[in-house]
Amino acid sequence: MVKLIRSNNVYITLLHRCKYSTVPKSISTIHINGKDFKSDDYSNITPKILTYLGRNLHLQKGNPLSMVRQRIVNYFYKSFTHRGNPIFSIYDNLSPIVTVKQNFDDLLIPLHHPSRAKQDCYYINKDLLFRAHMTAHQSELLRAGLNNFLMIGDVYRRDEIDSTHFPVFHQVDAVRSQRKEELFNSNPDLEIFEPSFDTKKPKVLNDITDSSKQSCHTLEATKLMETQLKSHLIGLIQALFGKDIKYRWVDAYFPFTHPSWELEIFYENKWMEVLGCGIVRNEILAAAGPNNSIAYAFGLGLERLAMALYNIPDIRLMWSKDSGFLNQFANKDVDAKITYKPISLYPQCVNDISFWLPNDLTIDTFMSNDFYDLVRDIGGDIIEQVKLKDKFVHPKTKKHSVCYSIVYRHLERTLTQFEVNKIHKEIEKAVTDSYNVVIR
Ligand code: DAH
């Protein structure tokens, strides 16, 4: 996932030279939904990625992701009310184009944190990117004065290719804040903030050296929030998977929460991480306006939950427009128990690609995420997986060679070896042109 090795200009070169690109030849502007954006040496949006923008699977009735979204929203509507009205507001139509400030700075993500790397994000330019998580909207909504809200939408990350990874996926992120009167309504002697903490200078005095709490908060407030957060999230997981679901909490680290945890559920004989959460760093709340509250936040991925709930074996199916897939979910009650039945598994074609890297690159410095994007740009959604099969250093020349297996499979029909070979040749040509490698 997050890799520290990156380069500044490989992908732009690729957009430039690659004949498959629909992005304008000039590298000075990128057109997205009728708008022009200035490009620079950060730009690495691919033509393929632009085709996912606006699909809004989480809002398409009858899409499994939208059904899971609805069940989560229902849980929050039902569980949190004030005088009969739901207290959470829902934001599920926020633009996925965000600033670096929204996605990282506002969330206290350090300047050199690996998650900011070009290798891991889709940048429009050095200031704008396709959001890498829904938490990117947290600060702006807090600034707008909201206390309890859910943010739901598509997020974009450059990653490897296999049945559970896709460069676009969907998240639900949430914040729940409480003032002293709400949190300690039955115990008004207790406080949210330590007496030594000056809420006027929140940055100076807050630190996270103590693993149990932020220095500004009292232990009572932190513990009560932790108890509520965990029981609300267990309630959610039980509402989705049933009362018998096996789960465990794991300590975690996120720059924007402290303390932080991850929730794992036991699924198909393995522990599977389903969400991250924690107590929002007070600096974030304070930067959004005068602050006298404490908040918890969490973020979860919809694909994982939908795949587990409905037994969907391949993440690409979420994007399928095939009626054989969609009809299994259409017109169903969101709470209906649905087990996906594979329409039929069409055969795979596996072709290997091996090449010598140029002298200045080694196996470790070759940017595999750039390569994955290029393969997907040319092959599209018939690329099921790209896996590193072999690597090798020539004993004399010291040149590095890599071999990847590219697994091709169409979800809706059988591919012929002839058409796969044609695409494979195009990939070989594009790799040669873009990276100066030599096919073996
Ligand atoms: N944004 C995190 C991610 O994408 C998930 C997350 C963790 C969201 C903790 C939160 C949180 O709101 O409090 O991996």
Side-chain angles (χ1 to χ4, degrees):
M1 296 259 280
V2 173
K3 291 185 203 79
L4 284 158
I5 300 143
R6 65 203 81 129
S7 123
N8 285 337
N9 51 19
V10 169
Y11 208 78
I12 269 295
T13 321
L14 193 157
L15 290 180
H16 226 14
R17 289 195 198 153
C18 182
K19 70 173 184 193
Y20 313 93
S21 163
T22 54
V23 167
K25 288 281 175 285
S26 130
I27 57 162
S28 61
T29 45
I30 298 176
H31 305 285
I32 303 173
N33 287 349
K35 278 204 197 126
D36 282 350
F37 295 90
K38 203 164 69 49
S39 70
D40 57 26
D41 63 1
Y42 254 75
S43 314
N44 63 0
I45 298 286
T46 69
K48 183 74 194 157
I49 220 70
L50 290 176
T51 66
Y52 302 120
L53 212 62
R55 283 282 301 273
N56 286 332
L57 298 183
H58 61 291
L59 300 177
Q60 305 311 316
K61 206 167 167 326
N63 185 289
L65 297 174
S66 144
M67 295 173 78
V68 180
R69 172 196 57 95
Q70 194 57 51
R71 291 182 68 181
I72 295 172
V73 168
N74 290 351
Y75 172 80
F76 279 91
Y77 273 170
K78 215 170 61 210
S79 313
F80 300 91
T81 52
H82 180 65
R83 299 205 181 109
N85 294 318
I87 61 167
F88 272 88
S89 37
I90 315 284
Y91 293 84
D92 55 14
N93 216 349
L94 299 163
S95 166
I97 297 176
V98 298
T99 60
V100 165
K101 181 172 177 299
Q102 287 173 295
N103 202 85
F104 302 113
D105 304 344
D106 283 351
L107 294 167
L108 313 175
I109 298 176
L111 218 49
H112 296 291
H113 193 274
S115 65
R116 294 186 182 236
K118 259 181 76 176
Q119 235 350 263
D120 292 279
C121 300
Y122 287 101
Y123 281 96
I124 297 174
N125 55 41
K126 66 175 180 20
D127 303 314
L128 293 174
L129 72 158
F130 285 2
R131 63 188 166 212
H133 55 175
M134 288 308 292
T135 325
H137 300 286
Q138 187 183 91
S139 283
E140 79 199 64
L141 295 179
L142 286 169
R143 227 173 281 132
L146 296 167
N147 301 324
N148 303 300
F149 51 91
L150 298 177
M151 304 157 270
I152 310 174
D154 39 339
V155 301
Y156 298 75
R157 288 191 206 167
R158 304 182 70 198
D159 214 333
E160 51 210 275
I161 302 176
D162 64 28
S163 65
T164 58
H165 290 91
F166 202 77
V168 192
F169 57 101
H170 298 77
Q171 286 186 328
V172 176
D173 220 271
V175 172
R176 162 136 179 81
S177 350
Q178 289 176 94
R179 283 175 289 109
K180 169 187 152 87
E181 304 82 83
E182 291 169 84
L183 186 65
F184 294 127
N185 68 353
S186 53
N187 212 337
D189 292 343
L190 296 177
E191 297 289 340
I192 288 178
F193 294 103
E194 290 284 359
S196 59
F197 179 70
D198 179 354
T199 45
K200 307 241 163 44
K201 292 183 192 156
K203 273 192 191 147
V204 185
L205 287 171
N206 194 23
D207 75 60
I208 54 167
T209 47
D210 177 348
S211 65
S212 64
K213 66 180 200 68
Q214 299 175 36
S215 67
C216 67
H217 292 143
T218 61
L219 192 59
E220 294 79 28
T222 309
K223 285 289 173 207
L224 185 51
M225 286 298 280
E226 174 182 345
T227 308
Q228 292 187 358
L229 166 61
K230 288 184 171 175
S231 75
H232 295 155
L233 290 174
I234 295 306
L236 171 65
I237 286 305
Q238 290 177 336
L240 294 174
F241 289 93
K243 287 268 176 255
D244 295 333
I245 184 77
K246 246 170 92 182
Y247 64 83
R248 69 178 185 194
W249 289 101
V250 179
D251 287 340
Y253 168 79
F254 301 104
F256 30 93
T257 48
H258 185 78
S260 309
W261 304 274
E262 277 169 357
L263 176 61
E264 297 183 344
I265 61 172
F266 200 66
Y267 172 72
E268 287 195 335
N269 284 323
K270 284 197 293 285
W271 287 105
M272 175 171 89
E273 181 214 315
V274 287
L275 61 84
C277 63
I279 310 295
V280 177
R281 291 270 297 266
N282 190 61
E283 292 91 322
I284 298 176
L285 298 175
N291 177 40
N292 54 3
S293 55
I294 183 167
Y296 71 60
F298 68 85
L300 58 82
L302 285 177
E303 270 77 355
R304 269 196 186 178
L305 294 178
M307 288 172 79
L309 274 172
Y310 304 125
N311 246 322
I312 299 173
D314 192 311
I315 195 167
R316 291 177 299 163
L317 282 162
M318 302 296 174
W319 299 85
S320 174
K321 294 176 180 168
D322 186 78
S323 58
F325 175 77
L326 291 172
N327 283 346
Q328 297 192 32
F329 300 92
N331 305 317
K332 293 265 174 25
D333 184 275
V334 290
D335 291 319
K337 171 129 189 57
I338 303 170
T339 305
Y340 170 72
K341 289 176 224 52
I343 322 160
S344 108
L345 266 192
Y346 295 96
Q348 298 174 324
C349 285
V350 184
N351 281 21
D352 289 351
I353 178 167
S354 311
F355 42 85
W356 292 108
L357 298 176
N359 289 339
D360 57 338
L361 282 186
T362 69
I363 290 151
D364 295 326
T365 54
F366 177 64
M367 269 89 26
S368 45
N369 280 355
D370 288 340
F371 171 65
Y372 300 147
D373 267 334
L374 175 135
V375 174
R376 209 195 302 264
D377 259 12
I378 295 165
D381 292 343
I382 66 166
I383 305 295
E384 179 169 276
Q385 196 180 6
V386 181
K387 47 186 178 197
L388 183 63
K389 187 174 174 189
D390 200 13
K391 43 193 185 180
F392 167 73
V393 184
H394 192 283
K396 287 224 177 77
T397 64
K398 299 282 182 271
K399 268 184 173 281
H400 290 231
S401 152
V402 282
C403 175
Y404 289 92
S405 284
I406 304 183
V407 183
Y408 299 86
R409 189 197 324 244
H410 203 294
L411 289 171
E412 285 133 23
R413 66 183 176 81
T414 301
L415 289 170
T416 65
Q417 190 62 53
F418 178 76
E419 64 184 319
V420 168
N421 289 350
K422 196 161 158 274
I423 295 165
H424 198 76
K425 276 262 165 290
E426 290 179 33
I427 292 173
E428 286 183 344
K429 169 144 187 2
V431 177
T432 314
D433 290 350
S434 305
Y435 301 122
N436 201 19
V437 303
V438 178
I439 301 287
R440 294 182 65 182

